[in-house]
mmCIF file of all heavy atoms in Angstrom:
data_model
loop_
_atom_site.group_PDB
_atom_site.id
_atom_site.type_symbol
_atom_site.label_atom_id
_atom_site.label_comp_id
_atom_site.label_asym_id
_atom_site.label_seq_id
_atom_site.Cartn_x
_atom_site.Cartn_y
_atom_site.Cartn_z
ATOM 1 N N PHE A 1 113.359 -99.250 -44.033
ATOM 2 C CA PHE A 1 114.623 -98.928 -43.383
ATOM 3 C C PHE A 1 115.091 -100.075 -42.497
ATOM 4 O O PHE A 1 116.250 -100.516 -42.580
ATOM 5 C CB PHE A 1 114.485 -97.651 -42.554
ATOM 6 C CG PHE A 1 115.683 -97.349 -41.703
ATOM 7 C CD1 PHE A 1 116.789 -96.692 -42.234
ATOM 8 C CD2 PHE A 1 115.717 -97.719 -40.368
ATOM 9 C CE1 PHE A 1 117.903 -96.424 -41.451
ATOM 10 C CE2 PHE A 1 116.820 -97.454 -39.576
ATOM 11 C CZ PHE A 1 117.920 -96.805 -40.125
ATOM 12 N N PHE A 2 114.201 -100.557 -41.624
ATOM 13 C CA PHE A 2 114.609 -101.606 -40.694
ATOM 14 C C PHE A 2 114.851 -102.938 -41.409
ATOM 15 O O PHE A 2 115.721 -103.719 -40.985
ATOM 16 C CB PHE A 2 113.576 -101.755 -39.579
ATOM 17 C CG PHE A 2 113.644 -100.651 -38.561
ATOM 18 C CD1 PHE A 2 112.626 -99.724 -38.450
ATOM 19 C CD2 PHE A 2 114.746 -100.523 -37.723
ATOM 20 C CE1 PHE A 2 112.693 -98.689 -37.518
ATOM 21 C CE2 PHE A 2 114.827 -99.500 -36.790
ATOM 22 C CZ PHE A 2 113.797 -98.583 -36.697
ATOM 23 N N ASP A 3 114.114 -103.207 -42.499
ATOM 24 C CA ASP A 3 114.394 -104.409 -43.293
ATOM 25 C C ASP A 3 115.800 -104.330 -43.881
ATOM 26 O O ASP A 3 116.555 -105.308 -43.857
ATOM 27 C CB ASP A 3 113.365 -104.547 -44.426
ATOM 28 C CG ASP A 3 112.025 -105.067 -43.938
ATOM 29 O OD1 ASP A 3 111.957 -105.526 -42.787
ATOM 30 O OD2 ASP A 3 111.059 -105.016 -44.721
ATOM 31 N N GLU A 4 116.145 -103.151 -44.408
ATOM 32 C CA GLU A 4 117.469 -102.972 -44.989
ATOM 33 C C GLU A 4 118.544 -103.040 -43.913
ATOM 34 O O GLU A 4 119.621 -103.628 -44.126
ATOM 35 C CB GLU A 4 117.545 -101.635 -45.724
ATOM 36 C CG GLU A 4 118.837 -101.415 -46.481
ATOM 37 C CD GLU A 4 118.849 -100.116 -47.275
ATOM 38 O OE1 GLU A 4 117.807 -99.410 -47.298
ATOM 39 O OE2 GLU A 4 119.900 -99.801 -47.864
ATOM 40 N N LEU A 5 118.251 -102.460 -42.752
ATOM 41 C CA LEU A 5 119.211 -102.470 -41.645
ATOM 42 C C LEU A 5 119.521 -103.903 -41.219
ATOM 43 O O LEU A 5 120.683 -104.276 -41.031
ATOM 44 C CB LEU A 5 118.638 -101.675 -40.467
ATOM 45 C CG LEU A 5 119.533 -101.534 -39.230
ATOM 46 C CD1 LEU A 5 120.763 -100.710 -39.562
ATOM 47 C CD2 LEU A 5 118.750 -100.875 -38.093
ATOM 48 N N HIS A 6 118.481 -104.721 -41.088
ATOM 49 C CA HIS A 6 118.677 -106.110 -40.659
ATOM 50 C C HIS A 6 119.434 -106.909 -41.725
ATOM 51 O O HIS A 6 120.210 -107.816 -41.400
ATOM 52 C CB HIS A 6 117.330 -106.768 -40.371
ATOM 53 C CG HIS A 6 116.642 -106.194 -39.182
ATOM 54 N ND1 HIS A 6 115.268 -106.179 -39.028
ATOM 55 C CD2 HIS A 6 117.132 -105.582 -38.075
ATOM 56 C CE1 HIS A 6 114.948 -105.582 -37.895
ATOM 57 N NE2 HIS A 6 116.066 -105.224 -37.294
ATOM 58 N N SER A 7 119.239 -106.575 -42.995
ATOM 59 C CA SER A 7 119.912 -107.314 -44.064
ATOM 60 C C SER A 7 121.417 -107.052 -44.083
ATOM 61 O O SER A 7 122.189 -107.865 -44.590
ATOM 62 C CB SER A 7 119.311 -106.940 -45.426
ATOM 63 O OG SER A 7 119.686 -105.617 -45.802
ATOM 64 N N LEU A 8 121.822 -105.916 -43.524
ATOM 65 C CA LEU A 8 123.247 -105.566 -43.510
ATOM 66 C C LEU A 8 123.990 -106.224 -42.362
ATOM 67 O O LEU A 8 125.216 -106.150 -42.284
ATOM 68 C CB LEU A 8 123.408 -104.042 -43.430
ATOM 69 C CG LEU A 8 122.863 -103.266 -44.624
ATOM 70 C CD1 LEU A 8 122.979 -101.765 -44.383
ATOM 71 C CD2 LEU A 8 123.607 -103.650 -45.901
ATOM 72 N N ASP A 9 123.247 -106.820 -41.450
ATOM 73 C CA ASP A 9 123.803 -107.562 -40.327
ATOM 74 C C ASP A 9 124.748 -106.671 -39.515
ATOM 75 O O ASP A 9 124.358 -105.624 -39.014
ATOM 76 C CB ASP A 9 124.515 -108.819 -40.828
ATOM 77 C CG ASP A 9 124.753 -109.822 -39.715
ATOM 78 O OD1 ASP A 9 124.062 -109.738 -38.686
ATOM 79 O OD2 ASP A 9 125.622 -110.684 -39.868
ATOM 80 N N SER A 10 126.014 -107.026 -39.413
ATOM 81 C CA SER A 10 126.945 -106.290 -38.540
ATOM 82 C C SER A 10 127.978 -105.493 -39.333
ATOM 83 O O SER A 10 129.020 -105.118 -38.785
ATOM 84 C CB SER A 10 127.657 -107.267 -37.599
ATOM 85 O OG SER A 10 128.341 -108.262 -38.336
ATOM 86 N N ASP A 11 127.714 -105.236 -40.601
ATOM 87 C CA ASP A 11 128.643 -104.463 -41.419
ATOM 88 C C ASP A 11 128.498 -102.985 -41.055
ATOM 89 O O ASP A 11 127.646 -102.270 -41.575
ATOM 90 C CB ASP A 11 128.322 -104.683 -42.902
ATOM 91 C CG ASP A 11 129.369 -104.063 -43.824
ATOM 92 O OD1 ASP A 11 130.025 -103.092 -43.401
ATOM 93 O OD2 ASP A 11 129.503 -104.539 -44.955
ATOM 94 N N ARG A 12 129.351 -102.520 -40.133
ATOM 95 C CA ARG A 12 129.223 -101.180 -39.572
ATOM 96 C C ARG A 12 129.302 -100.089 -40.650
ATOM 97 O O ARG A 12 128.531 -99.139 -40.645
ATOM 98 C CB ARG A 12 130.288 -100.952 -38.508
ATOM 99 C CG ARG A 12 130.173 -99.616 -37.784
ATOM 100 C CD ARG A 12 131.257 -99.490 -36.733
ATOM 101 N NE ARG A 12 131.089 -100.489 -35.688
ATOM 102 C CZ ARG A 12 130.323 -100.317 -34.615
ATOM 103 N NH1 ARG A 12 129.652 -99.176 -34.467
ATOM 104 N NH2 ARG A 12 130.226 -101.249 -33.692
ATOM 105 N N GLN A 13 130.234 -100.223 -41.594
ATOM 106 C CA GLN A 13 130.386 -99.202 -42.615
ATOM 107 C C GLN A 13 129.174 -99.168 -43.540
ATOM 108 O O GLN A 13 128.708 -98.081 -43.932
ATOM 109 C CB GLN A 13 131.648 -99.460 -43.445
ATOM 110 C CG GLN A 13 131.952 -98.355 -44.459
ATOM 111 C CD GLN A 13 132.106 -97.000 -43.806
ATOM 112 O OE1 GLN A 13 132.882 -96.846 -42.864
ATOM 113 N NE2 GLN A 13 131.358 -95.990 -44.283
ATOM 114 N N ALA A 14 128.646 -100.336 -43.890
ATOM 115 C CA ALA A 14 127.464 -100.397 -44.754
ATOM 116 C C ALA A 14 126.259 -99.775 -44.058
ATOM 117 O O ALA A 14 125.453 -99.083 -44.686
ATOM 118 C CB ALA A 14 127.172 -101.843 -45.138
ATOM 119 N N VAL A 15 126.131 -100.008 -42.753
ATOM 120 C CA VAL A 15 125.026 -99.424 -41.990
ATOM 121 C C VAL A 15 125.160 -97.907 -41.954
ATOM 122 O O VAL A 15 124.187 -97.177 -42.159
ATOM 123 C CB VAL A 15 124.998 -99.990 -40.547
ATOM 124 C CG1 VAL A 15 124.034 -99.196 -39.681
ATOM 125 C CG2 VAL A 15 124.597 -101.458 -40.569
ATOM 126 N N THR A 16 126.373 -97.427 -41.702
ATOM 127 C CA THR A 16 126.615 -95.977 -41.667
ATOM 128 C C THR A 16 126.279 -95.335 -43.004
ATOM 129 O O THR A 16 125.624 -94.297 -43.071
ATOM 130 C CB THR A 16 128.081 -95.684 -41.310
ATOM 131 O OG1 THR A 16 128.362 -96.227 -40.013
ATOM 132 C CG2 THR A 16 128.347 -94.185 -41.292
ATOM 133 N N ASP A 17 126.709 -95.958 -44.091
ATOM 134 C CA ASP A 17 126.437 -95.427 -45.419
ATOM 135 C C ASP A 17 124.938 -95.422 -45.724
ATOM 136 O O ASP A 17 124.421 -94.472 -46.322
ATOM 137 C CB ASP A 17 127.171 -96.258 -46.479
ATOM 138 C CG ASP A 17 128.679 -96.097 -46.406
ATOM 139 O OD1 ASP A 17 129.142 -95.124 -45.769
ATOM 140 O OD2 ASP A 17 129.388 -96.957 -46.970
ATOM 141 N N MET A 18 124.261 -96.487 -45.325
ATOM 142 C CA MET A 18 122.825 -96.589 -45.568
ATOM 143 C C MET A 18 122.057 -95.509 -44.818
ATOM 144 O O MET A 18 121.176 -94.847 -45.376
ATOM 145 C CB MET A 18 122.320 -97.978 -45.158
ATOM 146 C CG MET A 18 120.844 -98.239 -45.491
ATOM 147 S SD MET A 18 119.717 -97.831 -44.106
ATOM 148 C CE MET A 18 120.086 -99.175 -42.957
ATOM 149 N N ILE A 19 122.385 -95.301 -43.554
ATOM 150 C CA ILE A 19 121.712 -94.286 -42.749
ATOM 151 C C ILE A 19 121.976 -92.898 -43.316
ATOM 152 O O ILE A 19 121.064 -92.072 -43.441
ATOM 153 C CB ILE A 19 122.179 -94.375 -41.286
ATOM 154 C CG1 ILE A 19 121.670 -95.668 -40.648
ATOM 155 C CG2 ILE A 19 121.690 -93.162 -40.489
ATOM 156 C CD1 ILE A 19 122.168 -95.910 -39.245
ATOM 157 N N THR A 20 123.225 -92.631 -43.684
ATOM 158 C CA THR A 20 123.584 -91.328 -44.271
ATOM 159 C C THR A 20 122.800 -91.078 -45.550
ATOM 160 O O THR A 20 122.292 -89.974 -45.779
ATOM 161 C CB THR A 20 125.087 -91.272 -44.568
ATOM 162 O OG1 THR A 20 125.818 -91.457 -43.357
ATOM 163 C CG2 THR A 20 125.465 -89.936 -45.189
ATOM 164 N N ASN A 21 122.664 -92.094 -46.378
ATOM 165 C CA ASN A 21 121.937 -91.964 -47.635
ATOM 166 C C ASN A 21 120.468 -91.632 -47.395
ATOM 167 O O ASN A 21 119.903 -90.733 -48.033
ATOM 168 C CB ASN A 21 122.056 -93.261 -48.438
ATOM 169 C CG ASN A 21 121.326 -93.185 -49.767
ATOM 170 O OD1 ASN A 21 121.546 -92.280 -50.561
ATOM 171 N ND2 ASN A 21 120.452 -94.150 -50.014
ATOM 172 N N HIS A 22 119.837 -92.330 -46.451
ATOM 173 C CA HIS A 22 118.423 -92.077 -46.138
ATOM 174 C C HIS A 22 118.220 -90.661 -45.598
ATOM 175 O O HIS A 22 117.243 -89.990 -45.945
ATOM 176 C CB HIS A 22 117.908 -93.107 -45.128
ATOM 177 C CG HIS A 22 117.516 -94.413 -45.736
ATOM 178 N ND1 HIS A 22 116.331 -94.586 -46.418
ATOM 179 C CD2 HIS A 22 118.149 -95.612 -45.778
ATOM 180 C CE1 HIS A 22 116.245 -95.836 -46.845
ATOM 181 N NE2 HIS A 22 117.335 -96.478 -46.467
ATOM 182 N N GLN A 23 119.134 -90.223 -44.741
ATOM 183 C CA GLN A 23 119.006 -88.882 -44.177
ATOM 184 C C GLN A 23 119.246 -87.806 -45.240
ATOM 185 O O GLN A 23 118.540 -86.787 -45.279
ATOM 186 C CB GLN A 23 119.973 -88.707 -43.008
ATOM 187 C CG GLN A 23 119.624 -89.571 -41.800
ATOM 188 C CD GLN A 23 120.390 -89.179 -40.550
ATOM 189 O OE1 GLN A 23 119.881 -88.527 -39.657
ATOM 190 N NE2 GLN A 23 121.652 -89.597 -40.495
ATOM 191 N N ASN A 24 120.214 -88.025 -46.103
ATOM 192 C CA ASN A 24 120.492 -87.048 -47.158
ATOM 193 C C ASN A 24 119.321 -86.908 -48.133
ATOM 194 O O ASN A 24 119.109 -85.832 -48.700
ATOM 195 C CB ASN A 24 121.762 -87.444 -47.924
ATOM 196 C CG ASN A 24 123.023 -87.240 -47.108
ATOM 197 O OD1 ASN A 24 123.028 -86.506 -46.124
ATOM 198 N ND2 ASN A 24 124.105 -87.885 -47.513
ATOM 199 N N GLN A 25 118.575 -87.982 -48.323
ATOM 200 C CA GLN A 25 117.424 -87.945 -49.214
ATOM 201 C C GLN A 25 116.179 -87.375 -48.538
ATOM 202 O O GLN A 25 115.144 -87.204 -49.178
ATOM 203 C CB GLN A 25 117.119 -89.343 -49.757
ATOM 204 C CG GLN A 25 118.187 -89.892 -50.678
ATOM 205 C CD GLN A 25 117.801 -91.234 -51.270
ATOM 206 O OE1 GLN A 25 116.676 -91.449 -51.700
ATOM 207 N NE2 GLN A 25 118.750 -92.161 -51.285
ATOM 208 N N GLY A 26 116.276 -87.085 -47.236
ATOM 209 C CA GLY A 26 115.150 -86.513 -46.509
ATOM 210 C C GLY A 26 114.096 -87.519 -46.117
ATOM 211 O O GLY A 26 112.977 -87.138 -45.738
ATOM 212 N N HIS A 27 114.431 -88.803 -46.162
ATOM 213 C CA HIS A 27 113.467 -89.834 -45.803
ATOM 214 C C HIS A 27 113.318 -89.992 -44.297
ATOM 215 O O HIS A 27 112.287 -90.454 -43.815
ATOM 216 C CB HIS A 27 113.882 -91.188 -46.387
ATOM 217 C CG HIS A 27 113.919 -91.218 -47.872
ATOM 218 N ND1 HIS A 27 114.593 -92.177 -48.587
ATOM 219 C CD2 HIS A 27 113.363 -90.390 -48.801
ATOM 220 C CE1 HIS A 27 114.459 -91.952 -49.879
ATOM 221 N NE2 HIS A 27 113.728 -90.872 -50.028
ATOM 222 N N MET A 28 114.362 -89.615 -43.568
ATOM 223 C CA MET A 28 114.363 -89.867 -42.132
ATOM 224 C C MET A 28 115.398 -88.992 -41.444
ATOM 225 O O MET A 28 116.219 -88.335 -42.089
ATOM 226 C CB MET A 28 114.695 -91.335 -41.857
ATOM 227 C CG MET A 28 116.096 -91.717 -42.319
ATOM 228 S SD MET A 28 116.671 -93.320 -41.735
ATOM 229 C CE MET A 28 116.720 -93.044 -39.974
ATOM 230 N N MET A 29 115.353 -89.006 -40.109
ATOM 231 C CA MET A 29 116.401 -88.398 -39.300
ATOM 232 C C MET A 29 116.538 -89.194 -38.011
ATOM 233 O O MET A 29 115.604 -89.880 -37.571
ATOM 234 C CB MET A 29 116.098 -86.923 -39.001
ATOM 235 C CG MET A 29 114.829 -86.669 -38.220
ATOM 236 S SD MET A 29 114.530 -84.894 -37.915
ATOM 237 C CE MET A 29 115.798 -84.543 -36.683
ATOM 238 N N ILE A 30 117.729 -89.135 -37.436
ATOM 239 C CA ILE A 30 118.019 -89.865 -36.199
ATOM 240 C C ILE A 30 118.593 -88.888 -35.181
ATOM 241 O O ILE A 30 119.424 -88.047 -35.526
ATOM 242 C CB ILE A 30 119.026 -91.002 -36.445
ATOM 243 C CG1 ILE A 30 118.487 -91.974 -37.503
ATOM 244 C CG2 ILE A 30 119.319 -91.755 -35.160
ATOM 245 C CD1 ILE A 30 119.473 -93.065 -37.861
ATOM 246 N N ARG A 31 118.165 -89.032 -33.935
ATOM 247 C CA ARG A 31 118.670 -88.173 -32.864
ATOM 248 C C ARG A 31 118.429 -88.865 -31.524
ATOM 249 O O ARG A 31 117.653 -89.843 -31.448
ATOM 250 C CB ARG A 31 117.960 -86.822 -32.887
ATOM 251 C CG ARG A 31 116.455 -86.914 -32.633
ATOM 252 C CD ARG A 31 115.816 -85.551 -32.618
ATOM 253 N NE ARG A 31 114.390 -85.607 -32.306
ATOM 254 C CZ ARG A 31 113.650 -84.550 -32.028
ATOM 255 N NH1 ARG A 31 114.207 -83.334 -32.029
ATOM 256 N NH2 ARG A 31 112.369 -84.672 -31.748
ATOM 257 N N PRO A 32 119.049 -88.389 -30.435
ATOM 258 C CA PRO A 32 118.773 -88.957 -29.112
ATOM 259 C C PRO A 32 117.297 -88.756 -28.753
ATOM 260 O O PRO A 32 116.714 -87.712 -29.048
ATOM 261 C CB PRO A 32 119.690 -88.158 -28.183
ATOM 262 C CG PRO A 32 120.765 -87.633 -29.072
ATOM 263 C CD PRO A 32 120.108 -87.366 -30.392
ATOM 264 N N ALA A 33 116.702 -89.741 -28.144
ATOM 265 C CA ALA A 33 115.298 -89.636 -27.749
ATOM 266 C C ALA A 33 115.157 -88.749 -26.522
ATOM 267 O O ALA A 33 116.082 -88.608 -25.722
ATOM 268 C CB ALA A 33 114.730 -91.021 -27.452
ATOM 269 N N SER A 34 113.997 -88.142 -26.393
ATOM 270 C CA SER A 34 113.718 -87.337 -25.209
ATOM 271 C C SER A 34 113.748 -88.228 -23.972
ATOM 272 O O SER A 34 113.141 -89.306 -23.962
ATOM 273 C CB SER A 34 112.337 -86.681 -25.336
ATOM 274 O OG SER A 34 111.928 -86.138 -24.092
ATOM 275 N N PRO A 35 114.431 -87.802 -22.903
ATOM 276 C CA PRO A 35 114.468 -88.617 -21.675
ATOM 277 C C PRO A 35 113.101 -88.759 -21.034
ATOM 278 O O PRO A 35 112.888 -89.651 -20.205
ATOM 279 C CB PRO A 35 115.438 -87.834 -20.778
ATOM 280 C CG PRO A 35 115.415 -86.435 -21.302
ATOM 281 C CD PRO A 35 115.225 -86.558 -22.780
ATOM 282 N N GLU A 36 112.158 -87.903 -21.413
ATOM 283 C CA GLU A 36 110.805 -87.957 -20.848
ATOM 284 C C GLU A 36 109.872 -88.846 -21.668
ATOM 285 O O GLU A 36 108.737 -89.083 -21.266
ATOM 286 C CB GLU A 36 110.222 -86.542 -20.768
ATOM 287 C CG GLU A 36 111.032 -85.600 -19.885
ATOM 288 C CD GLU A 36 110.473 -84.194 -19.862
ATOM 289 O OE1 GLU A 36 109.442 -83.953 -20.516
ATOM 290 O OE2 GLU A 36 111.077 -83.331 -19.190
ATOM 291 N N ARG A 37 110.336 -89.324 -22.782
ATOM 292 C CA ARG A 37 109.507 -90.145 -23.676
ATOM 293 C C ARG A 37 109.320 -91.540 -23.088
ATOM 294 O O ARG A 37 110.289 -92.205 -22.721
ATOM 295 C CB ARG A 37 110.172 -90.221 -25.044
ATOM 296 C CG ARG A 37 109.520 -91.122 -26.071
ATOM 297 C CD ARG A 37 108.490 -90.407 -26.898
ATOM 298 N NE ARG A 37 108.034 -91.269 -27.976
ATOM 299 C CZ ARG A 37 108.393 -91.137 -29.240
ATOM 300 N NH1 ARG A 37 109.209 -90.159 -29.602
ATOM 301 N NH2 ARG A 37 107.931 -91.960 -30.159
ATOM 302 N N THR A 38 108.062 -91.987 -22.979
ATOM 303 C CA THR A 38 107.777 -93.315 -22.433
ATOM 304 C C THR A 38 107.202 -94.262 -23.481
ATOM 305 O O THR A 38 107.290 -95.475 -23.327
ATOM 306 C CB THR A 38 106.790 -93.224 -21.251
ATOM 307 O OG1 THR A 38 105.584 -92.568 -21.685
ATOM 308 C CG2 THR A 38 107.398 -92.457 -20.097
ATOM 309 N N ASP A 39 106.599 -93.722 -24.545
ATOM 310 C CA ASP A 39 106.031 -94.595 -25.567
ATOM 311 C C ASP A 39 107.079 -94.907 -26.628
ATOM 312 O O ASP A 39 108.079 -94.207 -26.780
ATOM 313 C CB ASP A 39 104.803 -93.945 -26.213
ATOM 314 C CG ASP A 39 105.113 -92.579 -26.797
ATOM 315 O OD1 ASP A 39 105.229 -91.613 -26.014
ATOM 316 O OD2 ASP A 39 105.247 -92.480 -28.021
ATOM 317 N N THR A 40 106.827 -95.971 -27.392
ATOM 318 C CA THR A 40 107.790 -96.438 -28.388
ATOM 319 C C THR A 40 107.494 -95.924 -29.785
ATOM 320 O O THR A 40 108.384 -95.515 -30.523
ATOM 321 C CB THR A 40 107.811 -97.980 -28.411
ATOM 322 O OG1 THR A 40 108.199 -98.456 -27.131
ATOM 323 C CG2 THR A 40 108.784 -98.506 -29.468
#
């Protein structure tokens, strides 16, 4: 995912499409992090 993200550079629409595709396939999900989370 991050390799593909970096390859898209600053193409906002391509990044949005890529993230949507990964989420629709059930490979990943994105959400706000817990404010109590300290580890990476």
Side-chain angles (χ1 to χ4, degrees):
F1 172 83
F2 285 112
D3 283 348
E4 186 176 356
L5 182 66
H6 292 152
S7 72
L8 296 176
D9 197 20
S10 57
D11 188 334
R12 184 179 296 273
Q13 185 58 53
V15 169
T16 299
D17 292 343
M18 185 267 288
I19 292 175
T20 300
N21 180 54
H22 279 283
Q23 293 193 102
N24 288 341
Q25 293 184 43
H27 297 162
M28 63 168 296
M29 61 180 288
I30 302 176
R31 63 178 183 169
S34 167
E36 299 178 1
R37 175 90 172 255
T38 57
D39 56 284
T40 299

